[in-house]
Amino acid sequence: MVEHEVETSAGTAVVDAAPTDRRGVDGVLARVRAGAAELTGALRRVAEHVLSDPEAAARATIVELAERSGTSPATITRFCRAMGFEGYADLRLGIAAETGRARSAGWTVDIGREIQPGDPLSRVLDQIMAADTRAMHDTAALLDLAEVERAAVAIAGANRVNIFGASGSALVGEEMQFSLHRIGVAAWAWSDVHEGLASAALLSAGDVALGISHTGQTRETIELLAEAGSRGATTVALTGFPRSPLAELADIVLVTASQATTFRPDALSARHPQLVVLDLLYIAVAQRTHDRAHAAFRRTAQAVDGHKAAKGALS
């Protein structure tokens, strides 16, 4: 039964916000996933229904989608505008194009299906590969390359780069720190909040602080990035939620997508997309500091070369 509800004040606030910038039809479902947590009431139900069966949503009329989601055609129209589309026809076109590409590329191998204890490893591998492939493509669609450019320019010219993250995000941050260090960028990765705050307090204009948190709600990372920003450093957030507290306080926001599977919730499934974005950022920094980066990478490679086992030594 279709309900003809009056949107709550919270729901209306979400709709009245500035629409998402639509950069073509790519990444429609990624934007719905990213925005669903910020929607309320009837709009949230529409998002959940679309994500549960995108192909069916692409085939449905606006009345059919309203009935299936238990809302109204007017709510569907408001949902489309909240996602950055002029109307339902544009949304349907975007979903149809995206699911068509996914099907032809083989990404739809039971995405969303729970991995069962008795599943053979070949099936589990297919599931993981399909989910990660979709997450990578969703991230590419969501990522604002102009923001990556801004972050690369800031890091390339920085006196010092601090990287903050907790738990799994700390591991991603350490990988970025290592990569930057190899090309001569003075970078430090901090996971301990006390040490991180002490380091952030010494930053100033011309320095960069990068905070990593999939949810964008990790209190310690928010506190560290806020401290760095208060000292004049350029702040960068890497997160899956562009309206999260971490993103709100950052000067530059890099957005990633994720595709959860059994035993790999969003926070874990976000690791590969995070690494891809940071790898892109690292390469962009290396491009902008080419001579210095090339010389530093050559010297660091030579320094560790003597610790590699000689061919045939272990035979």
Side-chain angles (χ1 to χ4, degrees):
M1 178 179 178
V2 179
E3 67 179 44
H4 299 280
E5 73 291 348
V6 177
E7 296 295 326
T8 63
S9 58
T12 301
V14 173
V15 176
D16 291 341
T20 304
D21 179 32
R22 184 161 75 93
R23 298 159 52 224
V25 297
D26 286 343
V28 175
L29 298 177
R31 283 189 278 120
V32 174
R33 289 188 197 96
E38 299 167 359
L39 299 176
T40 59
L43 294 176
R44 178 71 173 268
R45 291 201 299 278
V46 176
E48 291 172 346
H49 184 77
V50 168
L51 293 174
S52 69
D53 194 347
E55 292 188 359
R59 294 191 299 267
T61 67
I62 189 170
V63 173
E64 289 171 339
L65 184 60
E67 290 177 346
R68 293 171 187 175
S69 60
T71 60
S72 68
T75 299
I76 303 299
T77 299
R78 287 193 290 272
F79 173 78
C80 294
R81 291 172 180 166
M83 292 297 105
F85 291 89
E86 293 183 3
Y88 184 56
D90 284 346
L91 177 67
R92 284 183 67 186
L93 176 63
I95 296 174
E98 188 171 340
T99 54
R101 283 192 301 273
R103 186 168 55 253
S104 64
W107 305 342
T108 57
V109 182
D110 286 344
I111 286 182
R113 171 186 179 274
E114 291 293 310
I115 296 174
Q116 302 300 322
D119 284 349
L121 287 181
S122 59
R123 178 55 136 172
V124 175
L125 177 60
D126 286 345
Q127 183 81 356
I128 292 173
M129 291 295 293
D132 282 358
T133 300
R134 171 59 65 82
M136 298 290 191
H137 282 268
D138 284 353
T139 294
L142 286 172
L143 191 61
D144 187 339
L145 295 181
E147 291 287 271
V148 177
E149 175 81 23
R150 289 180 61 205
V153 169
I155 292 174
N159 299 314
R160 177 187 181 100
V161 178
N162 270 8
I163 303 170
F164 306 123
S167 189
S169 294
L171 300 177
V172 175
E174 289 172 5
E175 181 75 15
M176 183 60 170
Q177 185 271 336
F178 175 74
S179 296
L180 291 175
H181 193 72
R182 287 292 300 269
I183 60 172
V185 176
W188 287 262
W190 305 99
S191 58
D192 180 88
V193 67
H194 290 182
E195 294 176 351
L197 282 171
S199 183
L202 296 177
L203 298 180
S204 59
D207 296 326
V208 174
L210 167 63
I212 304 171
S213 170
H214 172 64
T215 63
Q217 296 180 353
T218 304
R219 186 176 61 186
E220 293 85 352
T221 306
I222 294 170
E223 184 180 0
L224 291 165
L225 203 66
E227 176 66 25
S230 73
R231 302 295 176 173
T234 298
T235 53
V236 183
L238 179 65
T239 180
F241 296 87
R243 295 181 186 175
S244 62
L246 185 70
E248 290 291 343
L249 66 84
D251 299 312
I252 301 169
V253 180
L254 307 180
V255 181
T256 61
S258 63
Q259 183 71 51
T261 59
T262 310
F263 305 120
R264 296 172 75 228
D266 281 345
L268 290 177
S269 61
R271 297 291 174 259
H272 290 159
Q274 287 175 339
L275 288 170
V276 167
V277 172
L278 291 179
D279 199 31
L280 174 64
L281 179 57
Y282 155 69
I283 294 296
V285 173
Q287 288 178 312
R288 285 151 186 76
T289 59
H290 181 269
D291 292 343
R292 184 185 75 187
H294 182 72
F297 196 87
R298 186 176 64 250
R299 289 199 301 271
T300 55
Q302 290 173 346
V304 301
D305 192 59
H307 287 265
K308 295 179 181 177
K311 290 183 178 178
L314 300 179
S315 59

